[in-house]
Amino acid sequence: MQTSLENDRMAKLKKYMADVLEKTDRPESYLIAVLHRAQNLFGYLSRDVMDEIALTMNIPTSHIWGVATFYHYFKLKPQGKHSIAICLGTACYVKGAGDILRTIKKELKIGIGETTEDGFFSLHEARCLGACGLAPVVMIDDKIYGELTNQKIIEIINNYRKRDRKSKEG
Amino acid sequence: MKKNKSKENFIITLCDGPSCIHNKSKELKRDIEIQLEKKGLSDNGRIILSGCLGMCSKGPILIVNPGYTIYGHVTEKDIPEIVESHLVKGKPVSRLIIDEDHLYNRFFRVFGDVGFFGKQMRITLRNCGIIDPESIDDYISLRGYEAIAKILSDMKPEEVIEEVKRSGLRGRGGAGFPTGMKWEFTANQKSDEKYVICNADEGDPGAFMDRSAIEGDPHTVIEGMIIGGYAVGSAKGIVYIRAEYPLAITRLEKAIKDARDSGFLGENILGSDFSFDIEIRLGAGAFVCGEETALIHSIEGSRGMPRPRPPYPSVNGLFGKPTLINNVETWANVPVIILDSADWFRKVGTEKSKGTKVFALAGKVKNTGLVEVPMGTTLREIIFDIGGGIEKGKKFKAVQTGGPSGGCLPEKYLDTPIDYESLAKAGSIMGSGGMIVIDEDSCMVNIAKFFLEFTQNESCGKCTPCREGTKRMLEILTRITEGKGEQGDIEKLERLGNLIKKASLCGLGQSAPNPVLSTLTNFREEYEEHIKHKKCRAGECRLLLDYVINDKCVGCGACKRICPAGAVSGNPKTPHVIDKSKCIKCGQCYEICKFGAVDKK
Ligand SMILES: Cc1cc2nc3c(=O)[nH]c(=O)nc-3n(C[C@H](O)[C@H](O)[C@H](O)COP(=O)(O)O)c2cc1C
Ligand code: SF4
Ligand code: SF4
Ligand code: FES
Ligand code: FES
């Protein structure tokens, strides 16, 4: 069953595709842009969304699936409320990002590309967030946390949990 | 509100690069505004947000002009003093000034107009931190878009190509192909449609030069592309940029719009019969898409798989049309060459590598950030003079250039001048500009494994040697770091590595073994120690370590409680011991001990 929110998002996506079809010479070349827009709206690319794109853009679903799975940026599963991206760029790695990753995995009990059972965190890897001077670094949603230690990252994660609990209570 | 610029008495530049934002630069903006308001100065000058200024470890960075005084580690509490002392009384606050004689802050002072003495360090990043990247007027005030006027009024396309050829500019995306020649190939193709592409995919996982160049000065890249379009006879430009760079994308979008509104993009540019426009296409996180043929497939809306070359994109590129692809930094050099002449450009650099190169210096070095140096500068000058040497008084071990396609160079190569040929001869490559300093605490086998994990994960899977060969190599490396290395592993790695290099289709596979092969050449003894003696001298491979409790142990029992293997024994308040035969080397006791009583050896 689709909620009105979802209908609204789908309408936006359709409008975007209509624009592409109308205003560009080679609409099929905008597939990746359409997928970006869809992920932006829905948070991930579901089978339904891909079918809709296939229908509207007149591109085989198999091709869309192939493209969506090829690129790391596209998520094929619903994502957690907060995304934790751990930088595994070279500078972060030589400064111990491997250890931080182990700690996060242990703390959240998930691996890279997975979401916690409560749907609160998803864990991703990133490549150089441009903050090498602060290595090792994680980005939670849009915020960068640097100069991490095992202790610090656990504190940060706990703070997110605490804030969430508070907002639920009050 | 539009301010009258002639009344501008000061400009305060605040870095909004990722490191400085983390150090609260955005909050400082408000504090400055409040102070200016208090002193009634709000209308006498302005605050600019610029991208990374290359001094990340001293952030947040604030530059106050007049004087181009660079302040570092600025906090909220310093703002009233800076405003009062510097802006009102004209006296810079000396305790906050970063004034080491590093090359990277010298350029701010030499930058007047076009300093001609070849000392100019910043060609690509010449405007970064100096102009407001969101203001086309600022760009124009520093001779921006003048090169367009010049070519449209005085130069034929052939002449532009000749000038770029004569400048000696080579591609900054890694391979160093002569830019002018590439332009000529594309120009010589007869076609109704041609494309010009800016490669802003920046795949090296330890680098952010292109991102900062766009965030700090997007118009330069646009101007370079317009010149390229004019030279090769193309009307359509595309910037292929990583989706992970939202700020760079926003700035670029704004810059394109402003350039269009000012008549530098679109139909009949500056009243000439040349038309050119630029569109942005987003990547989606695949390293291989930085490779030009894969990038083209990606823009076409497909999986980014490389294809064999020839035909090169200059002949058969995007949508089958002749296509000119250059890297961000390459493009940013072009307006300078046109305005200051190829003759001037040729004076900077070495015989075969002209101009400057931007590096993202990071790792175990004191000053991390972006540096731009003339070609020919030595690795030692970058790491020790500009970078300030190794952190925490540790010993230098290696420098990695070229990211996953490059190599690790030990101390004996520190005096190697930076140019395409010298770095290749030393066993690494120039690459796109990642430069990671490694100290004695890092294990070279582990570094090699790190890069191979990356390339193996990013292999598009089209060629078996790249897909499967890297997997085999990774298995061997993993074994070695886990203490299960065998006689003959080194030779196997070498054989496999050379095979993958020869038999892969694209640059990813052809260069994937480089980090392993170069560490095998330069740090072979570390591999041998891991294999023969099961020892990791850097103490990084945890399965090769012994965990031992020293005499700082107070007998708190924390390690005993956490040990999953029951390897720790001892009575409360008496020193504990670890049974080596039971220990699974998980490291938990080391982490939990509050008294520093567990050693890794
Ligand atoms: C695996 C792979 C990744 C690459 N990644 C990039 C990149 O991120 N940015 C870039 O400009 N060039 C990259 N290149 C090089 C491009 O294929 C191409 O040579 C370059 O964009 C040409 O521009 P230039 O001549 O100005 O360097 C990559 C090549 C390979 C094989
Ligand atoms: S070398 Fe590797 S990345 Fe390149 S085309 Fe072959 S499989 Fe793909
Ligand atoms: S390293 Fe792990 S297994 Fe070994 S003694 Fe410490 S806690 Fe126990
Ligand atoms: S490598 Fe992690 S921020 Fe650059
Ligand atoms: S982020 Fe501010 S100097 Fe690099």
Side-chain angles (χ1 to χ4, degrees):
Chain A
M1 202 181 62
Q2 290 201 334
T3 63
S4 69
L5 188 64
E6 256 173 57
N7 286 334
D8 189 42
R9 287 173 178 158
M10 194 55 101
K12 282 193 178 133
L13 180 60
K14 281 188 180 160
K15 166 91 180 61
Y16 184 80
M17 290 192 284
D19 278 351
V20 167
L21 288 169
E22 191 184 326
K23 293 182 189 155
T24 64
D25 289 342
R26 297 183 172 86
E28 69 289 352
S29 79
Y30 287 83
L31 174 60
I32 292 169
V34 170
L35 293 176
H36 272 300
R37 182 83 184 121
Q39 179 158 304
N40 233 321
L41 287 165
F42 294 92
Y44 76 108
L45 302 174
S46 66
R47 193 55 211 245
D48 287 350
V49 167
M50 282 194 254
D51 283 341
E52 187 59 45
I53 295 173
L55 218 61
T56 316
M57 303 281 297
N58 197 16
I59 299 173
T61 310
S62 60
H63 179 75
I64 297 181
W65 178 257
V67 169
T69 50
F70 183 83
Y71 295 96
H72 306 312
Y73 195 83
F74 295 128
K75 313 272 183 303
L76 303 174
K77 280 186 253 156
Q79 296 298 299
K81 187 166 169 196
H82 298 288
S83 121
I84 303 183
I86 171 141
C87 179
L88 294 180
T90 320
C92 286
Y93 189 80
V94 302
K95 288 214 165 171
D99 261 350
I100 306 290
L101 175 61
R102 250 193 304 274
T103 305
I104 299 177
K105 280 180 171 170
K106 210 159 75 187
E107 180 66 26
L108 301 181
K109 303 192 181 63
I110 54 172
I112 284 179
E114 295 174 1
T115 300
T116 52
E117 243 169 55
D118 58 4
F120 196 59
F121 289 114
S122 295
L123 181 58
H124 306 284
E125 62 181 302
R127 303 288 182 184
C128 194
L129 298 166
C132 314
L134 302 167
V137 169
V138 300
M139 187 158 85
I140 305 189
D141 303 328
D142 292 326
K143 206 166 150 35
I144 285 186
Y145 297 88
E147 294 171 338
L148 294 175
T149 58
N150 286 325
Q151 239 171 347
K152 232 162 131 182
I153 184 65
I154 291 185
E155 267 167 43
I156 294 168
I157 290 175
N158 282 334
N159 281 339
Y160 273 85
R161 288 175 173 149
K162 245 184 255 160
R163 236 176 296 152
D164 185 61
R165 236 173 281 139
K166 264 199 201 131
S167 69
K168 269 183 193 154
E169 283 161 12
Chain B
M1 181 180 58
K2 199 155 171 102
K3 278 174 200 155
N4 182 351
K5 285 208 180 152
S6 58
K7 265 183 33 204
E8 212 161 70
N9 293 329
F10 64 85
I11 298 175
I12 299 175
T13 305
L14 244 177
C15 177
D16 70 344
S19 296
C20 288
I21 290 182
H22 177 270
N23 288 323
K24 309 224 166 357
S25 67
K26 285 229 168 125
E27 285 85 338
L28 286 184
K29 179 158 185 270
R30 268 207 35 231
D31 298 325
I32 299 172
E33 281 163 355
I34 293 171
Q35 284 305 317
L36 292 178
E37 193 69 51
K38 263 194 194 156
K39 300 277 169 194
L41 294 173
S42 302
D43 291 333
N44 300 18
R46 60 188 166 131
I47 306 173
I48 292 176
L49 291 178
S50 79
C52 175
L53 296 168
M55 292 165 273
C56 312
S57 47
K58 301 203 163 58
I61 302 287
L62 199 107
I63 305 177
V64 181
N65 198 18
Y68 271 119
T69 311
I70 306 172
Y71 293 116
H73 299 302
V74 179
T75 66
E76 181 193 328
K77 282 189 250 124
D78 303 321
I79 299 295
E81 190 182 347
I82 292 178
V83 170
E84 172 67 25
S85 174
H86 194 139
L87 294 182
V88 179
K89 298 193 182 130
K91 244 185 72 200
V93 184
S94 47
R95 79 187 158 83
L96 296 170
I97 296 179
I98 307 180
D99 203 11
E100 293 152 38
D101 190 21
H102 288 315
L103 295 174
Y104 65 55
N105 59 29
R106 215 180 280 156
F107 85 96
F108 286 102
R109 275 152 230 174
V110 300
F111 189 93
D113 197 0
V114 187
F116 230 88
F117 307 108
K119 284 256 170 87
Q120 244 299 12
M121 310 308 303
R122 301 226 163 183
I123 298 179
T124 314
L125 304 175
R126 63 194 175 281
N127 293 329
C128 292
I130 290 176
I131 63 167
D132 176 351
E134 299 193 6
S135 159
I136 190 170
D137 293 343
D138 267 25
Y139 181 65
I140 292 172
S141 76
L142 292 177
R143 304 186 67 189
Y145 290 112
E146 199 180 310
I148 302 290
K150 179 169 173 186
I151 59 164
L152 290 178
S153 56
D154 312 335
M155 290 171 91
K156 294 199 196 84
E158 309 85 82
E159 289 169 333
V160 174
I161 293 177
E162 195 46 42
E163 194 70 3
V164 175
K165 265 170 90 175
R166 223 157 43 83
S167 73
L169 177 65
R170 295 169 65 176
R172 301 292 193 246
F177 191 83
T179 305
M181 274 170 70
K182 209 190 246 184
W183 289 28
E184 191 170 53
F185 294 150
T186 319
N188 286 343
Q189 294 299 314
K190 300 255 175 300
S191 173
D192 53 335
E193 251 184 310
K194 290 182 189 176
Y195 290 94
V196 166
I197 294 177
C198 170
N199 186 346
D201 197 42
E202 191 147 64
D204 178 346
F208 57 101
M209 305 77 47
D210 294 348
R211 161 189 181 147
S212 293
I214 293 177
E215 287 178 1
D217 187 15
H219 286 286
T220 297
V221 178
I222 294 173
E223 187 173 7
M225 290 177 72
I226 300 171
I227 297 169
Y230 175 75
V232 305
S234 156
K236 187 131 183 62
I238 292 176
V239 181
Y240 184 85
I241 185 167
R242 295 181 60 168
E244 292 90 336
Y245 288 175
L247 181 63
I249 295 168
T250 325
R251 293 222 163 124
L252 203 54
E253 277 168 349
K254 174 155 197 319
I256 291 173
K257 185 178 172 299
D258 290 348
R260 211 178 274 142
D261 291 347
S262 306
F264 298 117
L265 281 177
E267 299 289 315
N268 303 97
I269 295 175
L270 300 182
S272 70
D273 52 14
F274 171 60
S275 302
F276 186 79
D277 213 335
I278 296 179
E279 183 187 352
I280 298 175
R281 294 294 192 101
L282 302 191
F287 174 61
V288 74
C289 286
E291 195 279 337
E292 53 192 24
T293 61
L295 184 151
I296 286 171
H297 288 147
S298 181
I299 297 181
E300 289 170 350
S302 301
R303 298 163 69 111
M305 296 261 206
R307 63 155 172 81
R309 299 173 308 176
Y312 286 90
S314 51
V315 177
N316 180 338
L318 186 60
F319 305 122
K321 308 287 181 188
T323 301
L324 171 63
I325 303 186
N326 279 124
N327 164 263
V328 172
E329 202 182 323
T330 315
W331 287 119
N333 278 292
V334 171
V336 183
I337 292 171
I338 298 297
L339 281 185
D340 289 352
S341 82
D343 288 328
W344 171 76
F345 191 83
R346 292 182 63 79
K347 287 194 191 127
V348 186
T350 64
E351 194 200 332
K352 287 191 177 151
S353 304
K354 302 297 182 190
T356 56
K357 179 77 195 85
V358 183
F359 290 97
L361 184 64
K364 306 284 186 66
V365 62
K366 275 193 198 132
N367 306 322
T368 54
L370 288 188
V371 296
E372 180 171 351
V373 291
M375 299 277 191
T377 307
T378 64
L379 290 166
R380 190 187 299 281
E381 286 172 293
I382 297 186
I383 298 166
F384 288 90
D385 297 344
I386 303 176
I390 310 302
E391 267 185 347
K392 297 180 189 145
K394 295 272 181 173
K395 224 170 129 319
F396 170 88
K397 182 148 138 188
V399 53
Q400 210 282 342
T401 63
S405 313
C408 295
L409 300 176
E411 184 148 19
K412 69 174 180 197
Y413 289 112
L414 275 179
D415 293 308
T416 306
I418 304 256
D419 67 28
Y420 295 96
E421 281 72 24
S422 310
L423 283 172
K425 217 171 97 198
S428 186
I429 59 164
M430 174 87 82
S432 58
M435 188 179 283
I436 308 286
V437 178
I438 294 164
D439 71 2
E440 53 190 321
D441 288 345
S442 293
C443 164
M444 299 312 289
V445 185
N446 203 25
I447 296 272
K449 182 172 144 236
F450 162 77
F451 281 114
L452 202 70
E453 253 167 9
F454 176 78
T455 37
Q456 141 64 208
N457 190 14
E458 295 291 339
S459 163
C460 81
K462 188 165 176 165
C463 331
T464 319
C466 172
R467 187 186 64 233
E468 296 301 320
T470 52
K471 222 178 264 169
R472 292 293 93 73
M473 284 181 79
L474 188 58
E475 280 163 16
I476 298 175
L477 285 173
T478 306
R479 253 197 0 243
I480 295 176
T481 55
E482 287 175 352
K484 295 176 212 141
E486 295 158 11
Q487 269 308 339
D489 274 351
I490 291 183
E491 293 71 20
K492 254 189 230 156
L493 284 172
E494 281 173 334
R495 251 200 331 271
L496 265 167
N498 287 317
L499 177 91
I500 297 169
K501 277 177 82 125
K502 275 199 214 98
S504 296
L505 170 65
C506 87
L508 191 154
Q510 287 159 10
S511 64
N514 287 354
V516 181
L517 296 176
S518 88
T519 45
L520 274 172
T521 310
N522 294 320
F523 300 93
R524 202 180 190 88
E525 64 293 347
E526 284 195 35
Y527 282 84
E528 283 164 352
E529 281 165 17
H530 279 75
I531 297 172
K532 285 196 196 122
H533 309 298
K534 314 289 176 216
K535 278 277 160 224
C536 170
R537 62 166 85 173
E540 241 194 355
C541 298
R542 52 166 80 210
L543 293 180
L544 304 190
L545 299 175
D546 284 331
Y547 289 85
V548 191
I549 294 176
N550 62 34
D551 54 14
K552 289 191 204 133
C553 177
V554 298
C556 73
C559 54
K560 186 173 168 182
R561 280 191 294 278
I562 201 156
C563 177
V568 188
S569 58
N571 293 321
K573 301 208 177 104
T574 59
H576 285 40
V577 280
I578 294 173
D579 181 347
K580 251 167 99 173
S581 63
K582 284 192 197 152
C583 172
I584 56 164
K585 305 186 182 181
C586 68
Q588 296 190 50
C589 53
Y590 176 84
E591 270 161 34
I592 201 149
C593 181
K594 288 199 188 87
F595 305 94
V598 182
D599 287 331
K600 302 191 267 192
K601 285 191 195 153

